[in-house]
Amino acid sequence: MWCAFGLAFAIKGPPGLLPLLPMLALRWLRVKSVPVLVTWPGLAAFAVIGLSWFAVVIWARPELLGYFLGYEVYDWLFTATQDRNAEWYGAFETYGEAFLVGTFPWLLWMTRPLAGRWRLASPRCWRDLRAYDPAHLFLLLWIVLPLVMFCVARSRLPLYVLPLFVPIALLLAMRLRNRAWLSGHWAPTVLTLIVIFLLGINWRAAAYPHKDARAVAQLIASSLPSDRVKEVVYLDSWPQYGLSLYLNTEVE
């Protein structure tokens, strides 16, 4: 587990540790099935895998420590410096659409058990889950606690919540378990049509125009030999870092 968290931290930084929140919450709630999370071998594995790259880079360029702690952590959480949907309604606008589209058409079956009831707002509901269904409790906490962090943070992008679709998929599987319609005569046809529909959406989304660095790379390569392109510098616009892959050059 700590090796996996080390990889997550090396790739994504502090947000990679958000799945720790539900684990710690279960320990705090004293759920008996939760093992000891913090061990010295685990922390050592995390430090070697997750922190070594940061240590090497900061040793070579000490000024990046302030950039990491300031811009990537503090500004991401508390300020609108990054200009990513920082308005008070930004979380609803950004993540609401992501969840609505991302869970379609399964949202109906996910929310159906809560129809007409405020079960999740009841302390008794959480006590019952803690006592009789800790797996269900873990999945709910895995969704709710990181989502709260994403909503509190002033920097918000739709893909931030992409990792939450892992517990959402598991929760959906639990909700659909033993459903009569899954064994009905029309179930295979319905599921096949849903899969085809979702694949069609993905195909269209992939063809949607976006910042494709390949087109810019081809334009540059048509004007200059690739071995003469030493650096690409962007002014007053967000750089397309993919150019470093297609042109084997540095992008600033």
Side-chain angles (χ1 to χ4, degrees):
M1 183 194 74
W2 282 106
C3 289
F5 275 126
L7 290 171
F9 191 87
I11 294 169
K12 196 59 182 172
L17 301 180
L18 286 177
L20 264 178
L21 292 178
M23 299 180 186
L24 295 174
L26 288 185
R27 288 288 297 179
W28 180 71
L29 293 171
R30 299 182 181 179
V31 176
K32 296 180 180 179
S33 57
V34 180
V36 175
L37 296 176
V38 181
T39 64
W40 288 112
L43 292 179
F46 171 80
V48 171
I49 297 174
L51 301 180
S52 56
W53 182 85
F54 289 92
V56 170
V57 172
I58 292 172
W59 178 268
R61 298 181 62 179
E63 70 276 8
L64 290 181
L65 177 61
Y67 170 81
F68 174 70
L69 296 178
Y71 183 79
E72 294 290 352
V73 177
Y74 181 84
D75 288 342
W76 182 80
L77 276 172
F78 301 114
T79 74
T81 302
Q82 298 185 7
D83 193 24
R84 298 174 181 173
N85 305 295
E87 301 84 359
W88 65 269
Y89 55 84
F92 300 99
E93 186 178 51
T94 305
Y95 303 139
E97 181 180 352
F99 281 120
L100 184 63
V101 176
T103 58
F104 180 83
W106 309 109
L107 185 63
L108 173 64
W109 288 280
M110 287 184 63
T111 57
R112 199 171 183 179
L114 303 177
R117 293 177 292 177
W118 292 91
R119 293 187 67 236
L120 289 181
S122 168
R124 181 179 178 181
C125 170
W126 294 93
R127 287 196 297 267
D128 290 344
L129 288 174
R130 172 178 172 269
Y132 305 112
D133 197 354
H136 201 155
L137 175 62
F138 173 65
L139 292 177
L140 288 174
L141 291 173
W142 190 357
I143 297 171
V144 172
L145 295 180
L147 181 58
V148 169
M149 289 294 299
F150 286 131
C151 291
V152 170
R154 298 290 302 279
S155 177
R156 307 178 182 110
L157 291 175
L159 289 182
Y160 285 173
V161 296
L162 185 61
L164 299 186
F165 281 84
V166 175
I168 287 175
L170 295 173
L171 181 63
L172 176 64
M174 295 181 69
R175 294 279 170 85
L176 294 178
R177 187 171 51 194
N178 300 323
R179 294 287 180 183
W181 70 274
L182 286 175
S183 58
H185 177 71
W186 290 98
T189 302
V190 172
L191 291 175
T192 301
L193 291 175
I194 290 175
V195 169
I196 292 174
F197 176 73
L198 293 177
L199 289 176
I201 291 179
N202 288 335
W203 176 74
R204 289 301 303 163
Y208 186 80
H210 60 286
K211 290 185 176 181
D212 189 350
R214 287 175 294 186
V216 181
Q218 293 172 358
L219 180 63
I220 295 176
S222 65
S223 304
L224 290 171
S226 58
D227 58 344
R228 291 183 58 190
V229 181
K230 303 301 182 184
E231 186 177 38
V232 179
V233 180
Y234 277 77
L235 300 176
D236 298 327
S237 64
W238 191 258
Q240 292 177 268
Y241 290 108
L243 289 177
S244 62
L245 173 66
Y246 298 112
L247 297 177
N248 191 27
T249 187
E250 188 172 356
V251 179
E252 298 286 353

